[in-house]
Amino acid sequence: MKLETAIRQREGAAFVPYIMAGDGGIERLIPTIVELERMGATAIELGIPFSDPVADGPIIEAAGMRALEAGVTLEMILNHLIEGNNQFNVPIVLMTYLNPVFRFGVQPFFDRANECGVSGVIIPDLPFEESLQLFADINRHDVAVIPLVTLTSSEARTASILEKAEGFVYAVTLKGTTGKADVFPDELLAYLTRLTEQSRVPVLAGFGVHRPEQVQTLGQACDGVVVGSFIVEALHEGRTEDVETLIQSTKHLHV
């Protein structure tokens, strides 16, 4: 199922959990995806471990270090997805920094991502304008390059991104790295509402979200949420019931 279609057809607001591929062992990757799909995930954002994760807070950074220490690589992750993608139907979005893509080879990366059934890719250290240039001559096989917009993005730049956005728009809710936030900026809800009204594709809010009431509040201002640090920490600690409770909290929201 296409990423945008999965988000639009979701009952209530979309919920996209982030997991770090290889955290807990690469053999846990496919079973974790299958379990999150059973819990009701709309799509799954799959982090690629990297040694210098500039957008990640301490929880996700620690998960990436555990995966790297276990010898997990981008190629290993893609191979596991190829072997296991007949076990699930939920769309997969890869979150990777640019360096692993360059090392793999840009065209081979998209070829393999397509072979895995990947629906989209997020590259947080690649500015959107530069991604248009970098991928101009690349066959992306309909793998969406998900843009990020922030509260500090200018109106002109935001409009340019919205014009060319595909898959969904990732609206960053904090002025900083990932983590668990108790307070969001005062202007956030109005910002998300405005983005959603302007965008041709769904708008999902992420960074800092970790409580059901946050999920519900943000999920009423846009098309859904992405939750990372809470999911990564809960899975690492074996608190799967907490993960399912959070995923289910969007089910009956009207967006």
Side-chain angles (χ1 to χ4, degrees), residues 21 34 40 70 81 86 104 115 120 129 132-133 144 152 193 199 206 254:
V34 171
L81 287 176
N86 62 340
F104 196 90
E115 188 179 355
E129 296 82 357
L132 297 178
Q133 299 175 20
T152 58
T193 299
S199 180
H254 297 290

Side-chain angles (χ1 to χ4, degrees), residues 12-205:
F15 191 106
V16 179
Y18 169 101
I19 61 174
M20 177 61 70
D23 186 20
I26 193 65
E27 68 279 357
R28 290 295 309 152
L29 177 57
I30 302 303
T32 300
I33 291 172
V34 171
E35 181 67 1
L36 290 171
E37 181 178 32
R38 182 200 64 76
M39 291 178 183
T42 310
I44 295 172
E45 185 182 344
L46 188 60
I48 306 300
F50 182 55
S51 58
D52 189 20
V54 293
D56 295 333
I59 293 173
I60 292 179
E61 182 176 0
M65 292 304 106
R66 290 193 294 267
L68 289 174
E69 288 169 3
V72 175
T73 65
L74 173 58
E75 184 166 13
M76 185 186 298
I77 293 164
L78 295 174
N79 288 342
H80 269 71
L81 287 176
I82 290 172
E83 294 170 5
N85 66 8
N86 62 340
Q87 299 179 41
F88 57 86
N89 294 309
V90 64
I92 299 296
V93 176
L94 299 181
M95 201 297 284
T96 179
Y97 292 93
L98 187 57
N99 184 273
V101 176
F102 269 134
R103 291 197 62 179
F104 196 90
V106 177
Q107 186 63 66
F109 169 77
F110 280 102
D111 292 343
R112 190 73 66 85
N114 178 63
E115 188 179 355
C116 297
V118 167
S119 297
V121 60
I122 300 169
I123 307 178
D125 59 342
L126 177 64
F128 182 72
E129 296 82 357
E130 293 182 21
S131 75
L132 297 178
Q133 299 175 20
L134 178 62
F135 302 142
D137 298 319
I138 298 296
N139 179 3
R140 294 193 283 110
H141 306 286
D142 294 325
V143 175
V145 176
I146 310 298
L148 290 88
V149 295
T150 73
L151 289 158
T152 58
S153 299
S154 69
E155 289 189 13
R157 185 168 189 268
T158 298
S160 176
I161 291 173
L162 294 179
E163 180 184 357
K164 297 179 175 66
E166 50 193 29
F168 67 86
V169 172
Y170 194 133
V172 177
T173 58
L174 298 175
K175 300 173 182 177
T177 60
T178 62
K180 293 188 292 185
D182 291 320
V183 179
F184 290 108
D186 292 338
E187 67 271 29
L188 179 60
L189 295 183
Y191 169 74
L192 292 175
T193 299
R194 186 170 65 252
L195 275 180
T196 305
E197 291 172 348
Q198 295 172 346
S199 180
R200 299 176 298 102
V201 299
V203 174
L204 303 186

